[in-house]
Amino acid sequence: MAHCVGTYARRAARGEVQIFGLQRSDGVERATVVIRPPPYTCESHDPVDVEVAASHNGPLRPSMLIALGELLQEIGGPDLEVHLGTI
């Protein structure tokens, strides 16, 4: 993906973050998402920090933002408090 998600490897190995790869079915658009704390490891009312980046830290396409929203809806429901940033 040509961005710095590798800097999260140790934190992922320690279970501090979880890294997701989002990809459109045709493979044209991709994004990487880092969630802290990892899903299902905290109380449902606790906020999560979410960092997202497209390939080469390029612009995020609407389809990736929709996919991110669906992922967050799945792991935290409609009331999940999210602090959003970039990788």
Side-chain angles (χ1 to χ4, degrees), residues 13-62:
R14 290 190 302 256
E16 297 170 5
V17 302
Q18 188 164 5
I19 301 170
F20 293 88
L22 303 177
Q23 183 172 344
R24 210 167 74 177
S25 62
D26 61 8
V28 173
E29 296 175 10
R30 299 181 305 168
T32 303
V33 178
V34 177
I35 299 178
R36 177 183 34 247
Y40 312 113
T41 63
C42 59
E43 299 296 321
S44 61
H45 61 277
D46 289 342
V48 296
D49 293 319
V50 176
E51 296 183 37
V52 61
S55 181
H56 298 281
N57 291 324
L60 288 168
R61 304 281 187 228

Side-chain angles (χ1 to χ4, degrees), residues 53-75:
S55 181
H56 298 281
N57 291 324
L60 288 168
R61 304 281 187 228
S63 62
M64 290 297 99
L65 293 174
I66 291 168
L68 174 59
E70 290 173 355
L71 172 66
L72 294 172
Q73 180 84 8
E74 177 65 29
I75 64 172

